[in-house]
Amino acid sequence: MLELAILGLLKEQDLHGYELKKRLSETLGPLSSASFGSLYPALRRLEAAGALKAVEANELLVPARAVPMTGSLGGELAAFRARKPTRTSSGGRTKKVYGITTRGEELFHELLRTAGESSDDDRTFNLQLAFARHLDREARLGMLERRRAQLVERLTKARTAIRTGRDRLDMYTSSLMEHGTETTERDISWLDRLIAAEKRQEDQQ
Amino acid sequence: MLELAILGLLKEQDLHGYELKKRLSETLGPLSSASFGSLYPALRRLEAAGALKAVEANELLVPARAVPMTGSLGGELAAFRARKPTRTSSGGRTKKVYGITTRGEELFHELLRTAGESSDDDRTFNLQLAFARHLDREARLGMLERRRAQLVERLTKARTAIRTGRDRLDMYTSSLMEHGTETTERDISWLDRLIAAEKRQEDQQ
DNA sequence: GCTCCGATGTATCGAGTCGATATATCGACC
DNA sequence: GGTCGATATATCGACTCGATACATCGGAGC
């Protein structure tokens, strides 16, 4: 769900593709990554869906030297158009800054609520949690409980797999599975702390 | 690296697609998953590369009732050919059992050694470890150390991201990152135990 | 000044994966 | 006899990744 990440970041601030990519890999760290090969198509998809609009197409090709003091807008435009053909095809230093639309905000909340309902993908949940502040307490609690249930199920299956494959499993595989279940247990405890904190705040209102 | 998982499973036993899928999602659990949409193309790729060969195309369409006692092989074949066209296109209960070739064994070891050299993908490493028993101690130690280095780097980046984004981060995101770094720390400790065990055995020889 | 390099920036391509779906058979249960 | 769920192979469209192409800018070094 790259769309969710894009919309979430653009909700806070208008950004262009390259900057978006940097924030995805730095700020959101390994929670989302994403490459240009998926980012730019995603931006076009979202723009086509009316969730984004190109706020500003900042042509950095505009020379630094001052434009003649005629104040003529026509001259500006002519110069702009004249420069365009120098770009043989795509690319270059042209910035395309995107902003989120009302439709985009709606889509964002839609994705934030429903993503991860089917599919217990870790990265999707991380992304949802990273933007959980945009949800009301009830939806947030629902999301956390749903995730908890998924992890409990995963734990059950993992334990069954360990019990079933006893003896057949070599040292490395069993160590891997053991460590995996411990990690899942800790994830559940962590979720429980988040849920408890959420309910505490609910009571205090 | 679905190929690695397939080759690893077929190294132990000849299997057909559906059974392979079951083992991938049950035995190897959430370490690998894989869907039919990637499994069958992968099988065809491996077969085309000469890493696998179809050991047995078990036509379950063969009727259970005994063939007339003529002992005529020609009759058998004719009946077999006659039944074929009843399958309009693909699918059905026909089993195609695959076996690994010498070329496949080579490819397996190649993948086992080199996979995960670039890209610190968790699932790839898990898969490598699950088949680590097929490597010699030296290669195994190298693999573990390489993974350790990747996790340490990930930890450093994560800590920098937390320090950099202090204050700007809301409660949910910081909790997520905190929990992420703790998990990575535990992964490193676990790796250290595996490395230590490996070196202990090395000494005892 | 000049040139080369690395960061900035948009974009596409091929290959691989997923989830959904189509097709078909089998055994079991009512 | 008829439906249902498991077994089985296969493809489709949508999405993602990593590599690559193209293009410009700023600075470091000569």
Side-chain angles (χ1 to χ4, degrees), chain A residues 9-27:
Chain A
L9 286 180
L10 288 185
K11 201 172 152 63
E12 296 163 16
Q13 185 184 350
D14 290 356
L15 292 169
H16 55 98
Y18 192 82
E19 183 64 26
L20 218 32
K21 164 74 158 63
K22 282 209 314 197
R23 308 233 175 166
L24 282 172
S25 25
E26 287 169 21
T27 310

Side-chain angles (χ1 to χ4, degrees), chain B residues 27-90:
Chain B
T27 309
L28 288 180
L31 310 181
S32 176
S33 67
S35 65
F36 290 123
S38 45
L39 179 60
Y40 285 112
L43 284 173
R44 259 178 300 148
R45 273 200 310 276
L46 287 169
E47 193 178 15
L52 303 183
K53 61 176 190 300
V55 161
E56 178 192 2
N58 191 358
E59 280 278 343
L60 291 190
L61 297 176
V62 172
R65 61 181 170 77
V67 171
M69 297 241 165
T70 60
S72 151
L73 275 157
E76 275 272 16
L77 250 174
F80 177 79
R81 291 244 172 76
R83 266 193 310 276
K84 269 262 167 161
T86 59
R87 293 193 293 139
T88 47
S89 62
S90 63

Side-chain angles (χ1 to χ4, degrees), chain A:
Chain A
M1 275 298 133
L2 181 53
E3 265 101 340
L4 178 57
I6 293 174
L7 291 172
L9 286 180
L10 288 185
K11 201 172 152 63
E12 296 163 16
Q13 185 184 350
D14 290 356
L15 292 169
H16 55 98
Y18 192 82
E19 183 64 26
L20 218 32
K21 164 74 158 63
K22 282 209 314 197
R23 308 233 175 166
L24 282 172
S25 25
E26 287 169 21
T27 310
L28 289 180
L31 310 180
S32 175
S33 67
S35 65
F36 290 123
S38 44
L39 178 60
Y40 285 112
L43 284 173
R44 258 178 300 149
R45 276 199 308 275
L46 287 169
E47 193 178 17
L52 303 183
K53 62 175 190 298
V55 161
E56 176 191 2
N58 190 359
E59 280 278 341
L60 290 191
L61 297 177
V62 172
R65 61 181 168 76
V67 171
M69 296 238 165
T70 60
S72 150
L73 274 157
E76 276 273 15
L77 251 174
F80 177 78
R81 292 245 171 75
R83 267 193 310 275
K84 269 260 168 161
T86 61
R87 292 193 294 140
T88 47
S89 61
S90 63
R93 198 68 181 278
T94 332
K95 257 190 215 166
K96 212 191 281 183
V97 179
Y98 289 98
I100 194 168
T101 64
T102 312
R103 175 81 195 87
E105 300 260 2
E106 287 166 14
L107 181 57
F108 173 71
H109 279 95
E110 171 85 11
L111 288 176
L112 194 48
R113 266 183 295 107
T114 65
E117 254 176 23
S118 55
S119 94
D120 61 345
D121 184 30
D122 292 1
R123 290 213 304 284
T124 301
F125 170 75
N126 287 345
L127 220 42
Q128 276 183 291
L129 189 59
F131 295 118
R133 66 178 178 284
H134 297 298
L135 289 174
D136 56 287
R137 180 123 44 230
E138 193 191 6
R140 209 153 47 214
L141 259 173
M143 191 194 83
L144 292 172
E145 301 275 17
R146 206 156 42 236
R147 171 66 173 177
R148 207 198 111 97
Q150 285 172 347
L151 288 187
V152 166
E153 199 199 328
R154 188 191 293 187
L155 193 55
T156 307
K157 280 188 183 170
R159 282 209 239 262
T160 303
I162 289 178
R163 208 174 17 253
T164 303
R166 176 124 41 235
D167 309 327
R168 267 197 315 100
L169 268 41
D170 70 305
M171 185 191 116
Y172 301 103
T173 310
S174 29
S175 179
L176 188 57
M177 289 186 166
E178 198 101 8
H179 180 61
T181 58
E182 278 172 30
T183 301
T184 305
E185 282 167 7
R186 284 177 52 85
D187 284 352
I188 293 174
S189 302
W190 169 65
L191 268 181
D192 283 339
R193 286 197 295 279
L194 285 182
I195 290 171
E198 208 69 44
K199 285 187 172 159
R200 209 155 43 233
Q201 290 200 338
E202 196 173 38
D203 291 343
Q204 282 179 1
Q205 280 180 348

Side-chain angles (χ1 to χ4, degrees), chain B residues 147-160:
Chain B
R147 172 66 172 176
R148 207 199 111 96
Q150 285 172 347
L151 288 188
V152 166
E153 198 199 329
R154 188 190 292 187
L155 193 55
T156 307
K157 280 188 183 169
R159 281 209 239 263
T160 303

